[in-house]
Amino acid sequence: MQYWSQTYIPTLKESPAEAEIESHKLLLRAGLVRRIGGGLYAYLPLGKRTLDKVAQICREEMNAAGAIELLMPAVLPADQWKAGPRWNAVREVMYEVSSASAQAKESEDGPQYVLGPTHEEIITPLIGSEISSYRDMGKTFYQIQTKFRNEIRPRYGLMRAREFIMKDGYSFDLDDENAEETYRRMAQAYEKFFARCGLNFISVEADTGIMGGSFSHEYMVPAEVGDDDVVYCEESGYAANVEKATSGLPPSDFQDAAPAAELEEFETPGAVTIAALAKEPYGIQAEDQFKTLIYIGDGKPFALVLRGCDELEEAKLGALGYELVRPATPSEIEPLMGARPGSLGLVKGTIAQRDKLDGIYADETIRLVGNGVTGANKDGYHMRNVNVERDLDIDSFGDFRRVKAGEPCPNSGKPLKIARAIEVGHIFKLGTKFSENDSWGAKYHDANKETKPAVMGCYGIGVSRTLQAIIEQSRDDFGIVWPWNVAPYHVVVTVLDPDMDEAMELAGRIAEAVETEGADTLIDDRDERPGVKFKDADLIGIPLRITIGGRGLKEGIVEMKWRDSKDVAKIPIEKVESVVTSKIQNRSSG
RNA sequence: CGGGGCGUAGCUUAGCCUGGUAGAGCGCCUGGUUUGGGACCAGGAGGUCGUUGGUUCGAAUCCAAUCGCCCCGACCA
């Protein structure tokens, strides 16, 4: 048990200006965290307690799923990253660490150390050097640790911070089959973990991004303030991150629209946007236009074509196999194509330097366009009656467009919905991307003495982000409404007259009884007015409040109120210990 | 990195446009009256007005630079 006067819970009546969203305001107002710098937070005692609760539940579920906890350093040798497959891609989000004496050397060779943003590059050679027999395969290791990522724009408090707490796990299996079994087991552990945190969440198909690997799922908490868009269908259960989502457009049996008219060039002075061509005097619907985009992949330009009405989903460019991809600049585009952006097209024979293009990729849905319009690679000119097979110079087709709400679900055909969500977990089946490396990978000898790479998976949970996601989802006008399992204290005994020995003794007895049930108790013994105590108890969101007041004592009762209910129960003092403990048993088991 | 906004006491902010040397509420300290949903009275402490430079007799106020924070975008393992 803890006396309020002995701990430190600095609640605020007003929200500091730094906070924009409700969960961030409540983190500050309830005295859980304070900002130290941009994207950097100190956990005050109440925040630390809650963070520990979330981490402990995570630990329990990982252990229950057979994972083994370890702890790796946060300061990592840069050489180990440089030897890995994604140094260049990941470097810009990494903090570099240098000692004063090493700085001169580092300026030439890059940093000597980095702060760990994740640990594949560390655990793979670690386990690789430890394990060499197939008998030792089938292990999953995890740690709960501070991670560092130089977010371009930290925001929303703990939601996207430069330093955050993460549970990262890594599995090493004999083969694909075993790896997929591990993946399923971790997925189940994730479901249990988020459920125990009291979260409403969904798992969605996700893009593997820079991590690579064969497939992945994200755990998403629906919330307006989320950073991700989730595409879903209630009918079929289909759910995917918009980066990954596909729709039933185009239909699987569709055919190219038939060419019907002669290709011709026409003047379009000043019209350099899809919208401009859609207006008079041209009146060409966006659906009937081709959108041509030039990107640079690992230094090599390539072209993309989509329907004018569609947006490129950049994450889908990952399928093209480049390590670093960025949009080309106008000065790169003009000599290549022969025109500035706005007049670009991919009609055969019109591209100034076709041989410089590393590839021309088309979204499948452009096949729906017949007699379309595209740029002529000549400023101020477009071409009409453009047809896909006949006229466009395409190397391959793929899925590059971003799905829009209302499009048919790929499984059920019903309209897809889109919702904002917070990503709180992400699991990947990695395959052998890391383990197969000859010099530092993780390989084992099988029963036939053959050397094989371990089939890996990796599993992340944003522990500190989960904490804030819980608040975002579990609050009301008065403050946080903690789910039982993650509440910093389960019960607050609000003593309205702490000067009365009788009241304080009763509070102590109740707290002792409650703690034997495993419930953490906070006794509000402060010399404050009742209103202040009630407001603070609501703000910090303790699930159960027992109020002891002089008035009630005269009647021989105390009051019991759940944070998520308006009802106040009056309980005779002689029964209070048994009543409260039985209520707690119900709540903590349910 | 591009666009926008904001930096005045621990927190929320007024004052800035139209220059004359800083005010309020909350919080904090002292005393008193209060005591079941953020009390009241009296007194008090606390601010190099983000920083630096410039204009001016005089700068929180005007100008410039810089730093920091917030929002939108880009980015996001």
Side-chain angles (χ1 to χ4, degrees):
Chain A
M1 87 182 62
Q2 174 75 59
Y3 289 93
W4 197 309
S5 64
Q6 302 300 308
T7 183
Y8 184 66
I9 307 173
T11 58
L12 302 171
K13 274 192 201 176
E14 291 172 296
S15 305
E18 73 195 54
E20 180 77 8
I21 66 170
E22 289 305 319
S23 55
H24 188 191
K25 288 179 184 171
L26 287 172
L27 279 170
L28 294 164
R29 287 190 55 213
L32 274 68
V33 304
R34 288 291 184 265
R35 193 181 68 84
I36 300 300
L40 300 170
Y41 291 86
Y43 293 87
L44 301 182
L46 204 59
K48 175 67 164 66
R49 286 187 68 91
T50 313
L51 186 70
D52 286 349
K53 295 260 176 128
V54 176
Q56 183 56 28
I57 294 170
C58 184
R59 187 172 278 124
E60 288 169 14
E61 291 303 332
M62 285 297 112
N63 293 345
I68 318 156
E69 184 167 12
L70 50 58
L71 184 61
M72 289 179 274
V75 177
L76 307 174
D79 284 347
Q80 218 160 322
W81 276 89
K82 291 174 193 168
R86 51 182 182 168
W87 168 248
N88 291 326
V90 98
R91 189 171 177 185
E92 64 183 36
V93 303
M94 288 212 284
Y95 285 104
E96 302 181 348
V97 183
S98 57
S99 66
S101 59
Q103 265 179 357
K105 181 180 182 301
E106 284 172 2
S107 61
E108 294 167 21
D109 304 341
Q112 194 172 1
Y113 298 102
V114 296
L115 293 178
T118 177
H119 280 69
E120 284 80 3
E121 274 79 350
I122 309 306
I123 197 162
T124 307
L126 171 66
I127 299 305
S129 65
E130 293 290 328
I131 289 183
S132 51
S133 163
Y134 70 96
R135 294 190 176 88
D136 291 326
M137 282 285 113
K139 296 264 193 293
T140 301
F141 301 93
Y142 76 96
Q143 59 176 349
I144 296 173
Q145 187 200 39
T146 300
K147 295 285 189 275
F148 303 86
R149 295 182 189 178
N150 186 16
E151 292 288 348
I152 299 170
R153 181 151 89 88
R155 59 172 158 176
Y156 296 160
L158 304 179
M159 205 73 95
R160 191 190 294 181
R162 291 198 161 101
E163 181 187 314
F164 58 97
I165 314 274
M166 179 172 170
K167 187 284 299 177
D168 49 323
Y170 310 89
S171 64
F172 298 83
D173 276 296
L174 287 173
D175 52 27
D176 269 328
E177 194 180 330
N178 282 287
E180 284 176 25
E181 174 53 33
T182 300
Y183 185 91
R184 279 192 292 275
R185 199 166 65 244
M186 293 311 288
Q188 285 167 10
Y190 271 48
E191 307 252 337
K192 286 183 192 163
F193 167 71
F194 291 118
R196 283 182 68 187
C197 287
L199 282 169
N200 293 321
F201 66 97
I202 52 173
S203 84
V204 306
E205 294 175 25
D207 182 65
T208 54
I210 202 171
M211 192 68 81
S214 30
F215 54 85
S216 82
H217 285 83
E218 286 168 329
Y219 291 80
M220 294 288 198
V221 174
E224 284 301 314
V225 299
D227 274 344
D228 290 274
D229 282 309
V230 170
V231 176
Y232 65 99
C233 170
E234 284 159 349
E235 185 86 12
S236 68
Y238 177 79
N241 191 307
V242 72
E243 293 177 349
K244 173 81 175 175
T246 59
S247 74
L249 268 184
S252 54
D253 58 347
F254 77 106
Q255 307 223 322
D256 284 9
E262 197 76 1
L263 184 67
E264 63 176 5
E265 193 174 278
F266 64 109
E267 277 193 64
T268 53
V272 292
T273 61
I274 302 284
L277 284 169
K279 284 186 202 147
E280 293 305 322
Y282 310 109
I284 303 152
Q285 297 300 305
E287 290 77 9
D288 296 324
Q289 298 184 41
F290 295 100
K291 175 184 284 187
T292 305
L293 302 169
I294 308 297
Y295 272 72
I296 308 288
D298 298 339
K300 291 173 287 191
F302 65 92
L304 285 151
V305 54
L306 298 92
R307 289 191 300 167
C309 57
D310 284 335
E311 293 299 321
L312 171 68
E313 175 50 65
E314 284 197 17
K316 291 182 178 177
L317 297 181
L320 300 178
Y322 299 107
E323 191 180 4
L324 288 172
V325 170
R326 63 170 174 84
T329 62
S331 61
E332 288 169 326
I333 292 170
E334 193 168 355
L336 186 71
M337 300 296 288
R340 289 194 290 268
S343 303
L344 305 181
L346 295 169
V347 172
K348 291 169 187 165
T350 66
I351 304 165
Q353 300 189 64
R354 170 64 174 95
D355 55 323
K356 292 271 182 65
L357 282 174
D358 197 44
I360 296 180
Y361 305 98
D363 186 81
E364 297 279 3
T365 54
I366 66 162
R367 294 175 187 269
L368 296 168
V369 180
N371 295 318
V373 168
T374 193
N377 291 325
K378 206 159 107 183
D379 289 340
Y381 289 87
H382 280 74
M383 303 185 94
R384 62 164 73 100
N385 300 327
V386 176
N387 288 280
V388 174
E389 281 298 324
R390 186 186 71 185
D391 303 321
L392 294 181
D393 196 348
I394 291 164
D395 292 327
S396 67
F397 287 86
D399 174 21
F400 300 106
R401 62 189 291 278
R402 182 175 298 159
V403 168
K404 287 182 284 219
E407 291 180 4
C409 167
N411 296 342
S412 71
K414 294 283 194 299
L416 287 167
K417 294 179 178 174
I418 297 187
R420 298 292 283 176
I422 300 163
E423 177 191 350
V424 286
H426 200 161
I427 61 178
F428 299 80
K429 178 168 174 262
L430 282 178
T432 58
K433 172 175 178 170
F434 293 92
S435 56
E436 68 192 6
N437 184 285
D438 283 334
S439 57
W440 58 272
K443 300 187 177 183
Y444 68 93
H445 300 298
D446 71 7
N448 301 318
K449 300 179 186 172
E450 283 180 44
T451 302
K452 290 184 175 169
V455 181
M456 292 175 61
C458 72
Y459 316 93
I461 287 175
V463 175
S464 44
R465 181 185 283 184
T466 296
L467 168 59
Q468 187 168 351
I470 293 167
I471 298 174
E472 188 61 33
Q473 201 173 68
S474 193
R475 58 184 164 81
D476 63 16
D477 291 345
F478 303 103
I480 302 170
V481 184
W482 286 117
W484 183 270
N485 290 334
V486 293
Y489 296 95
H490 299 102
V491 180
V492 57
V493 181
T494 301
V495 183
L496 298 185
D497 303 288
D499 291 340
M500 289 176 63
D501 293 343
E502 186 190 352
M504 286 304 294
E505 278 167 28
L506 179 58
R509 284 211 308 279
I510 293 170
E512 271 179 40
V514 158
E515 298 238 323
T516 58
E517 294 299 322
D520 300 325
T521 310
L522 181 64
I523 298 175
D524 189 353
D525 60 335
R526 294 174 300 166
D527 180 22
E528 288 287 353
R529 295 169 59 83
V532 172
K533 296 189 172 206
F534 293 143
K535 290 287 186 192
D536 273 348
D538 287 347
L539 179 59
I540 69 172
I542 308 305
L544 183 61
R545 189 180 80 204
I546 309 293
T547 306
I548 301 173
R551 209 167 70 186
L553 286 180
K554 277 181 199 157
E555 298 173 38
I557 58 111
V558 299
E559 291 168 4
M560 188 179 79
K561 180 185 173 300
W562 293 97
R563 177 64 179 82
D564 58 7
S565 163
K566 281 199 166 87
D567 301 335
V568 178
K570 295 191 175 185
I571 300 174
I573 287 171
E574 61 275 15
K575 285 191 190 166
V576 63
E577 284 146 281
S578 62
V579 170
V580 172
T581 52
S582 74
K583 293 287 182 192
I584 286 170
Q585 283 165 5
N586 286 342
R587 179 62 71 116
S588 57
S589 62

